[in-house]
Amino acid sequence: MENTKQELTNILEKYLTAFETVLYEDDEKFLEGMKSHSLANDDVQKYRFWEWTQGVGLFGVWKLYQQKKDKRYLDILTKYYERQLETGLPSKNINTVTPLLAMSFVAQELNCQRYMDVCAEWAESVYRDFPRTREGGLQHITSDSVNHEELWDDTLFMTVLFLANMGKILNKKEYLDEAEYQFLLHTKYLADRKTGLWYHGWTFDGDHNFAAAFWGRGNCWLTAAIPEYLSMVECSASVKKFLVNAWQRQVESLLKYQSENGMWHTLVDDQTSYVEASATCGFGYGILKGVALGIAPQEWAQAALKALEPIVNYTDENGVVQQVSYGTPMGRESKDFYKNIELKPMPYGQALAMLFVMEALPHISN
């Protein structure tokens, strides 16, 4: 049964309410691992609610505010940032940058110099100080792992979008050039030439793609990041053409692997792996965003919209999205690693569902 525009609007509000709840829920597994990790050289409590998991969700709330201009959504963001600034921010890495993407937009919206100063400091650190791989790629250093010489497919969404936006806000060409380069380099080493799908990672220490997995949520970060990037900044015409072609090739493959119920699997090309909600929402959101930008044919929108009903069906009465795979490190030896990741409601599951429904609403006629 198709959902009406009003029903989807109500579901979107439920997603937001549920996100506010999970935003401040402890991830015990993550915190336990951090306690003994050498990278946690500051108070582990600073990482509790300031990670990529929250950052993706905050971006979803920002997009909702941008669309609706309802102060309630802006208040969610400012309340969060005030609380976290009082606690103190954690050490800088690829994943702890992510909450700053929404913050950079909020700083600009409110003309808040305090927020902008934080964003400017972190952007300069990304540009100057973050470890690089061979060929100058942003090494995917995280709160609990150095990942020496490794490129991961989530880096572009988690860090590079922020750097690009700060380049635009501060009129820093070097940031914009660096963002372009990171998109190009990650495409070079992570996009598969045969299928257009993206590998989870690449290491220059051995020159390989680890288990060569086309991991669902990892792929969705690119389906979403490339249209967001192209709508965020003006990049050179040749880079835009290159990225659009890479994006189109990926989506062409995604459409071939979409399951009959409209969802995608946690290993995109493996029908024996479970269907996964966050990747499905990310694909739906990214494809619809691409259609809106004019880089995809209109018929692709119908394929993306097929995912709406199963995602609604995986939403409980409180608006919590189920069938979401937990945070996933690199599958270094076997693709089966991805099949065994536990399913657990997470802030990014709520965020990607919000983004998907927001992009879907203009396509719903009744």
Side-chain angles (χ1 to χ4, degrees):
M1 182 183 296
E2 291 188 2
N3 295 100
T4 67
K5 191 178 287 272
Q6 186 58 55
E7 287 170 338
L8 287 173
T9 300
N10 294 340
I11 288 168
L12 186 56
E13 283 294 326
K14 281 190 171 184
Y15 286 154
L16 180 65
T17 300
F19 170 71
E20 287 187 84
T21 300
V22 298
L23 179 62
Y24 298 112
E25 283 184 356
D26 279 327
D27 184 344
E28 299 292 350
K29 183 177 180 181
F30 170 74
L31 291 174
E32 191 60 35
M34 285 291 296
K35 286 177 183 177
S36 59
H37 201 281
S38 59
L39 293 184
N41 55 10
D42 52 11
D43 186 355
V44 171
Q45 296 305 308
K46 293 180 180 179
Y47 295 86
R48 286 176 67 196
F49 310 122
W50 189 281
E51 265 282 337
W52 73 272
T53 52
Q54 289 83 20
V56 175
L58 297 165
F59 183 61
V61 177
W62 165 254
K63 298 288 282 188
L64 191 56
Y65 168 74
Q66 194 176 37
Q67 184 183 88
K68 305 286 188 182
K69 293 301 180 184
D70 187 327
K71 188 174 180 294
R72 288 183 301 141
Y73 310 136
L74 195 59
D75 288 345
I76 291 169
L77 293 166
T78 55
K79 177 183 175 183
Y80 169 85
Y81 289 125
E82 291 300 321
R83 170 177 169 159
Q84 296 310 118
L85 288 175
E86 184 177 347
T87 300
L89 302 188
S91 296
K92 299 177 179 72
N93 62 63
I94 294 295
N95 287 343
T96 56
V97 167
T98 316
L100 293 164
L101 176 57
M103 190 187 214
S104 63
F105 285 105
V106 173
Q108 196 173 31
E109 176 78 5
L110 297 178
N111 194 25
C112 178
Q113 192 60 47
R114 187 161 60 98
Y115 288 4
M116 190 59 73
D117 287 345
V118 173
C119 291
E121 179 200 338
W122 281 59
E124 183 68 5
S125 187
V126 172
Y127 180 70
R128 298 282 181 193
D129 305 328
F130 272 34
R132 296 300 202 271
T133 67
R134 199 188 319 165
E135 298 187 29
L138 277 170
Q139 181 173 303
H140 194 84
I141 183 171
T142 66
S143 301
D144 57 2
S145 183
V146 173
N147 300 318
H148 180 67
E149 288 289 348
E150 295 180 16
L151 301 175
W152 289 26
D153 57 9
D154 25 354
T155 300
L156 296 175
F157 196 101
M158 302 307 165
T159 292
V160 179
L161 286 182
F162 164 71
L163 185 64
N165 198 44
M166 289 302 294
K168 178 183 178 181
I169 291 170
L170 301 177
N171 195 27
K172 289 208 169 214
K173 187 176 185 297
E174 63 267 33
Y175 292 179
L176 295 170
D177 289 345
E178 180 69 9
E180 279 195 6
Y181 182 72
Q182 293 302 324
F183 268 92
L184 293 172
L185 187 70
H186 280 72
T187 306
K188 175 182 177 181
Y189 284 103
L190 297 179
D192 176 49
R193 288 183 175 86
K194 290 183 180 180
T195 65
L197 296 172
W198 284 56
Y199 296 108
H200 189 176
W202 167 268
T203 177
F204 287 100
D205 185 9
D207 295 326
H208 58 78
N209 292 111
F210 298 101
F214 299 134
W215 173 46
R217 190 166 60 246
N219 266 268
C220 97
W221 297 131
L222 280 306
T223 318
I226 290 175
E228 283 293 348
Y229 174 63
L230 295 177
S231 66
M232 191 179 293
V233 300
E234 285 290 331
C235 62
S236 61
S238 57
V239 171
K240 180 177 180 179
K241 185 176 181 179
F242 180 86
L243 292 177
V244 167
N245 282 324
W247 182 86
Q248 289 173 340
R249 283 215 63 206
Q250 186 213 31
V251 175
E252 285 168 357
S253 275
L254 290 175
L255 298 180
K256 292 176 185 175
Y257 288 113
Q258 188 176 21
S259 66
E260 288 187 11
N261 78 342
M263 293 185 71
W264 279 270
H265 294 259
T266 199
L267 288 173
V268 173
D269 59 339
D270 185 349
Q271 303 294 300
T272 68
S273 65
Y274 56 73
V275 291
E276 203 275 322
S278 68
T280 295
C281 289
F283 292 142
Y285 153 54
I287 292 169
L288 292 174
K289 179 79 175 175
V291 171
L293 280 179
I295 62 173
Q298 284 292 327
E299 56 264 29
W300 286 7
Q302 295 310 308
L305 292 170
K306 280 178 60 180
L308 266 180
E309 185 176 350
I311 291 301
V312 170
N313 290 339
Y314 272 120
T315 303
D316 70 19
E317 64 275 9
N318 296 316
V320 177
V321 182
Q322 307 294 324
Q323 200 64 19
V324 174
S325 65
Y326 185 66
T328 306
M330 186 62 62
R332 298 180 181 276
E333 304 295 335
S334 169
K335 294 179 184 180
D336 285 342
F337 169 80
Y338 296 89
K339 297 182 181 182
N340 297 319
I341 298 295
E342 68 176 303
L343 294 165
K344 180 180 179 182
M346 295 296 290
Y348 52 81
Q350 299 300 125
L352 289 167
M354 283 191 287
L355 290 164
F356 180 28
V357 172
M358 275 189 278
E359 286 293 335
L361 277 170
H363 296 269
I364 308 300
S365 58
N366 58 341

